[in-house]
Amino acid sequence: MFKFLNKVAAYGRDALQAARYIGQGLSVTFDHMQRRPVTIQYPYEKLIPSERFRGRIHFEFDKCIACEVCVRVCPINLPVVDWEYNKEIKKKELKHYSIDFGVCIFCGNCVEYCPTNCLSMTEEYELSTYDRHELNYDSQALGRLPLNVTQDPMVQPIRGLAYLPKGVMDGHEVPHTERRAGLRPEEILEQAQN
Ligand code: SF4
Ligand code: SF4
């Protein structure tokens, strides 16, 4: 009899525990029902990358002094800087510059350390090709100005979900002047300094 009662008590405890777990699971589900949808219908909708997004690198040939700092700070020595020494002007002359985006990890070191700021990271992230060798961008390809998502006629861009005004679920019609729910990086910095 005592054994039977023990079993019933254990069963009751297990049932209670199971009910608690189900309650915890459902609370997460209900919590998500209050949140904004985070999926977008790519490629017909696109998120605007954040201010510090590290996309395809842009290169300005005329500004480059062929110092090779970008090669030295790159974790994989990726940029190829092809130059010749011009004896007349006693300066290096840049012949060719390339970065292979099939290998690049978009760490941004080269951009950070370039002394002439001829490298910059764009918001371009659509780099897929059928042949990986096409990802080896030469100076012409690197010098192409990036496509701006907000000016892409093929898509209907929506604003970054994290930056939508409070209470707004769909960003398509939100004017850009409207106050965002999140803070801009400069506002966060200002808050931290005060
Ligand atoms: S660090 Fe800048 S200036 Fe120097 S070689 Fe690289 S891209 Fe050119
Ligand atoms: S982003 Fe990083 S990995 Fe890519 S070329 Fe620059 S330093 Fe190298």
Side-chain angles (χ1 to χ4, degrees), residues 59-60 63-71 73 79 81 94 97 110 113-119:
F59 171 68
E60 291 173 74
K63 279 192 186 171
C64 181
I65 53 172
C67 63
E68 292 186 84
V69 165
C70 52
V71 186
V73 295
V81 189
L94 184 66
Y97 188 92
C110 53
Y113 289 97
C114 173
T116 59
N117 291 332
C118 58
L119 295 169

Side-chain angles (χ1 to χ4, degrees), residues 70-71 74-81 98-105:
C70 52
V71 186
C74 176
I76 41 179
N77 296 349
L78 186 59
V80 176
V81 189
S98 67
I99 293 177
D100 188 349
F101 291 117
V103 187
C104 176
I105 56 169

Side-chain angles (χ1 to χ4, degrees), residues 11-189:
Y11 180 78
R13 273 198 304 275
D14 286 349
L16 214 67
Q17 189 69 2
R20 195 177 299 147
Y21 287 149
I22 290 170
Q24 279 174 355
L26 281 176
S27 71
V28 175
T29 307
F30 290 133
D31 185 42
H32 276 263
M33 284 170 75
Q34 303 289 324
R35 297 185 190 179
R36 293 173 179 145
V38 290
T39 49
I40 58 160
Q41 303 304 313
Y42 183 83
Y44 307 107
E45 291 180 341
K46 287 179 188 176
L47 286 176
I48 296 174
S50 62
E51 283 90 345
R52 301 184 68 185
F53 183 77
R54 298 201 294 249
R56 197 262 297 170
I57 293 168
H58 178 253
F59 171 68
E60 291 173 74
F61 193 93
D62 297 342
K63 279 192 186 171
C64 181
I65 53 172
C67 63
E68 292 186 84
V69 165
C70 52
V71 186
R72 268 175 269 142
V73 295
C74 176
I76 41 179
N77 296 349
L78 186 59
V80 176
V81 189
D82 182 16
W83 54 269
E84 267 176 22
Y85 188 70
N86 187 327
K87 285 181 185 160
E88 283 174 19
I89 55 171
K90 293 186 179 168
K91 268 185 181 173
K92 285 177 179 176
E93 238 182 308
L94 184 66
K95 295 287 171 198
H96 186 83
Y97 188 92
S98 67
I99 293 177
D100 188 349
F101 291 117
V103 187
C104 176
I105 56 169
F106 299 91
C107 65
N109 269 4
C110 53
V111 176
E112 191 74 23
Y113 289 97
C114 173
T116 59
N117 291 332
C118 58
L119 295 169
S120 55
M121 302 208 91
T122 68
E123 58 183 22
E124 201 174 299
Y125 53 85
E126 292 172 310
L127 299 172
S128 54
T129 62
Y130 286 106
D131 179 359
R132 68 188 172 92
H133 297 106
E134 287 174 15
L135 291 170
N136 193 358
Y137 279 36
D138 62 7
S139 21
Q140 274 85 32
L142 285 170
R144 182 174 53 75
L145 284 174
L147 271 181
N148 191 339
V149 171
T150 54
Q151 290 164 4
D152 189 342
M154 296 297 289
V155 296
Q156 189 182 10
I158 62 172
R159 300 173 70 204
L161 289 170
Y163 289 145
L164 286 176
K166 208 172 178 183
V168 177
M169 304 288 274
D170 183 359
H172 289 291
E173 305 301 332
V174 180
H176 282 257
T177 47
E178 196 152 330
R179 177 82 198 157
R180 302 185 296 183
L183 293 177
R184 287 180 174 279
E186 60 268 21
E187 290 170 332
I188 294 170
L189 191 68

